[in-house]
């Protein structure tokens, strides 16, 4: 276990925004909240999964909803604490640690906010290695772990515990319906995990990975190097497309932000177009009508000059962007993993072929 330093907050936000593949919610509000908590004297420790006791209870925390709504509605960190306390009351025991559901976007910072107020450590791991929009799109679901109970709270003092669900997809459907009813944004504490389950089935080291990624981008900017190239070199990624955002169509439906973006090519891609379909996160990138990158490979849209990630809710006409692909966590590309997070899991009749195996 080690202290998570105040100077790591901004790199975490920067790196998590890139790993969010367009989703997970903007980390900006979480970054400001966590910085404020640190300046008020709060602190958080980061604990490695292997340091957990096998029987330790670990809270899996995230915000749920549509990214566009999250831009407009600020969330008090106390709402996150309420979801965790509600789960503790239901279980009849306290948690020993908190971990992010996903390392992507603002959801990478949510557990730190709760942990700072509850004096608990944050586990250096998550269940996605990126961001995904649905409950069954996790390493815990891939491992067939139990999906209930789940607690949910909102800003109006509504609180719900889902005590049982028939499957991961049913848990997603039930909790999503509740989330929509409370305004398409809520704090959740997912099914609690034991230390043993986190050791065996979480994706380890992802908080550290996000911080390192953020620091790499900052260093490239400071040294007047290309931050996009720095990201690719660090993560072993691939450059996909360079262009300008030409068109964006999006709509908030059923608690998701869905749509597509069209990017007109520049530089070596002049005269070409890249279309990216998204459901909170970027799911499929197509060129000339043919897919070139698909989930679970990470499709990241970043500002060509700064390397700053651009979320699906912040895409706008005229942005000069670079589209890059980063490798997915190995568990996501297994046959069982692809059932949960491959193109067909999003309703696309495509077989996954990693851009890193071509």
């Amino acid at each position: 276990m080690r202290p998570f330093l105040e100077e790591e907050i901004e790199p975490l936000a920067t790196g998590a925004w890139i790993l969010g593949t367009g989703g997970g919610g903007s980390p900006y509000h979480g970054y400001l909240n966590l910085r404020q908590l640190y300046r008020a004297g709060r602190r958080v420790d980061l604990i490695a999964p292997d340091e957990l006791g096998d029987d330790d209870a670990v809270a899996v925390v995230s915000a749920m909803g549509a990214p566009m709504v999250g831009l407009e509605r600020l969330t008090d960190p106390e709402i996150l604490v309420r979801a965790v306390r509600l789960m503790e009351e239901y279980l009849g025991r306290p948690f020993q640690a908190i971990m992010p559901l996903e390392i992507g976007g603002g959801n990478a910072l949510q557990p730190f906010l709760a942990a700072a107020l509850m004096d608990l450590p944050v586990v250096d791991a998550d269940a996605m290695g990126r961001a995904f929009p649905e409950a069954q799109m996790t390493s815990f679901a891939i491992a067939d772990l139990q999906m209930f109970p789940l607690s949910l709270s909102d800003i109006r003092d509504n609180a719900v515990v889902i005590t049982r669900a028939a499957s991961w997809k049913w848990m997603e459907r039930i909790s999503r319906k509740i989330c929509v009813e409370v305004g398409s944004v809520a704090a959740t504490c997912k099914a609690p995990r034991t230390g043993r389950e986190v050791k065996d089935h979480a994706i380890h080291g992802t908080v550290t990975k996000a911080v390192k990624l953020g620091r790499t981008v900052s260093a490239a900017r400071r040294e007047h190097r290309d931050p996009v190239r720095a990201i690719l070199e660090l993560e072993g990624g691939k450059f996909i497309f360079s262009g300008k955002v030409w068109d964006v169509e999006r709509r908030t439906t059923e608690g998701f932000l869905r749509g597509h973006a069209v990017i007109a090519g520049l530089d070596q891609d002049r005269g070409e177009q890249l279309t990216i379909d998204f459901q909170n996160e970027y799911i499929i990138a197509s060129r000339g009508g043919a897919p070139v990158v698909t989930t679970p490979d990470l499709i990241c849209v970043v500002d060509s000059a700064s390397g700053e990630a651009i979320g699906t809710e912040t895409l706008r006409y005229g942005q000069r962007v670079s589209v890059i692909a980063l490798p997915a966590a190995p568990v996501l590309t297994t046959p069982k993993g692809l059932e949960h997070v491959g193109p067909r899991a999003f309703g696309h009749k495509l077989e996954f072929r990693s851009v890193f195996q071509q």
Side-chain angles (χ1 to χ4, degrees):
M1 189 183 302
R2 69 167 182 85
F4 185 82
L5 304 177
E6 183 174 354
E7 55 264 33
E8 294 180 279
I9 299 173
E10 185 173 0
L12 172 62
T14 299
W17 201 206
I18 294 168
L19 295 174
T21 65
S26 169
Y28 185 63
H29 295 154
Y31 156 71
L32 293 178
N33 272 324
L34 186 56
R35 188 180 65 175
Q36 186 66 22
L37 288 172
Y38 264 66
R39 292 179 179 179
R42 301 281 187 171
R43 291 294 182 270
V44 178
D45 287 331
L46 191 66
I47 184 171
D50 290 344
E51 295 180 88
L52 293 168
D54 284 356
D55 296 325
D56 282 351
V58 181
V60 184
V61 171
S62 73
M64 185 178 192
M68 187 68 75
V69 178
L71 274 182
E72 301 170 351
R73 180 178 292 174
L74 302 181
T75 301
D76 187 332
E78 289 286 355
I79 308 302
L80 292 159
V81 174
R82 189 185 305 162
V84 178
R85 293 295 188 204
L86 183 63
M87 183 63 77
E88 286 183 327
E89 291 172 11
Y90 177 79
L91 295 174
R93 62 172 296 189
F95 285 109
Q96 281 73 52
I98 297 178
M99 68 173 284
L101 175 72
E102 57 188 5
I103 196 60
N107 268 334
L109 285 93
Q110 302 302 313
F112 284 88
L113 297 174
L117 293 172
M118 299 180 69
D119 195 26
L120 289 173
V122 171
V123 183
D124 189 5
D126 79 311
M128 296 182 182
R130 44 164 297 163
F132 281 119
E134 299 184 23
Q136 73 276 11
M137 297 175 174
T138 69
S139 58
F140 298 141
I142 293 168
D144 291 324
L145 301 186
Q146 183 171 291
M147 74 294 301
F148 55 82
L150 177 147
S151 63
L152 180 150
S153 63
D154 78 340
I155 60 171
R156 299 181 185 85
D157 201 29
N158 293 309
V160 176
V161 176
I162 302 172
T163 61
R164 194 169 187 88
S167 67
W168 280 95
K169 287 191 176 182
W170 268 109
M171 177 59 82
E172 165 63 28
R173 292 176 66 180
I174 295 167
S175 58
R176 185 69 55 176
K177 289 292 186 182
I178 297 170
C179 181
V180 170
E181 287 301 315
V182 299
S184 289
V185 62
T188 66
C189 184
K190 309 296 188 183
R193 305 268 70 105
T194 66
R196 184 75 262 162
E197 288 172 334
V198 173
K199 293 174 188 179
D200 291 345
H201 301 296
I203 300 170
H204 295 193
T206 50
V207 172
T208 298
K209 176 179 180 177
V211 171
K212 186 176 181 180
L213 182 54
R215 283 177 165 165
T216 297
V217 170
S218 296
R221 294 171 185 163
R222 188 170 57 250
E223 297 163 8
H224 304 290
R225 295 184 289 111
D226 181 355
V228 178
R229 182 174 294 276
I231 294 169
L232 295 174
E233 291 175 352
L234 177 69
E235 292 297 317
K238 286 196 173 185
F239 192 91
I240 302 300
F241 200 80
S242 173
K244 178 177 75 172
V245 177
W246 187 254
D247 187 33
V248 182
E249 184 276 322
R250 58 187 160 219
R251 62 199 182 279
T252 299
T253 60
E254 300 177 323
F256 298 111
L257 184 65
R258 304 176 190 268
H260 69 271
V262 178
I263 301 172
L266 295 173
D267 303 323
Q268 73 273 18
D269 295 309
R270 188 172 296 276
E272 299 286 334
Q273 283 190 344
L274 189 78
T275 300
I276 307 179
D277 295 298
F278 55 81
Q279 178 185 332
N280 286 8
E281 287 75 34
Y282 301 118
I283 303 302
I284 295 176
S286 302
R287 187 171 186 165
V292 291
V293 192
T294 70
T295 177
D297 283 346
L298 281 67
I299 303 169
C300 309
V301 179
V302 299
D303 183 277
S304 294
S306 69
E308 188 76 15
I310 300 172
T312 53
E313 75 272 33
T314 55
L315 279 169
R316 66 179 186 275
Y317 173 80
Q319 288 170 321
R320 301 298 178 96
V321 301
S322 296
V323 181
I324 61 177
L326 304 180
V331 67
L332 304 180
T333 60
T334 63
K336 185 71 176 294
L338 291 175
E339 292 178 13
H340 289 261
V341 299
R344 291 183 179 274
F346 292 87
H348 297 277
K349 296 180 180 180
L350 298 171
E351 297 300 329
F352 171 70
R353 183 182 179 189
S354 176
V355 70
F356 299 100
Q357 296 174 345
Q358 295 176 4

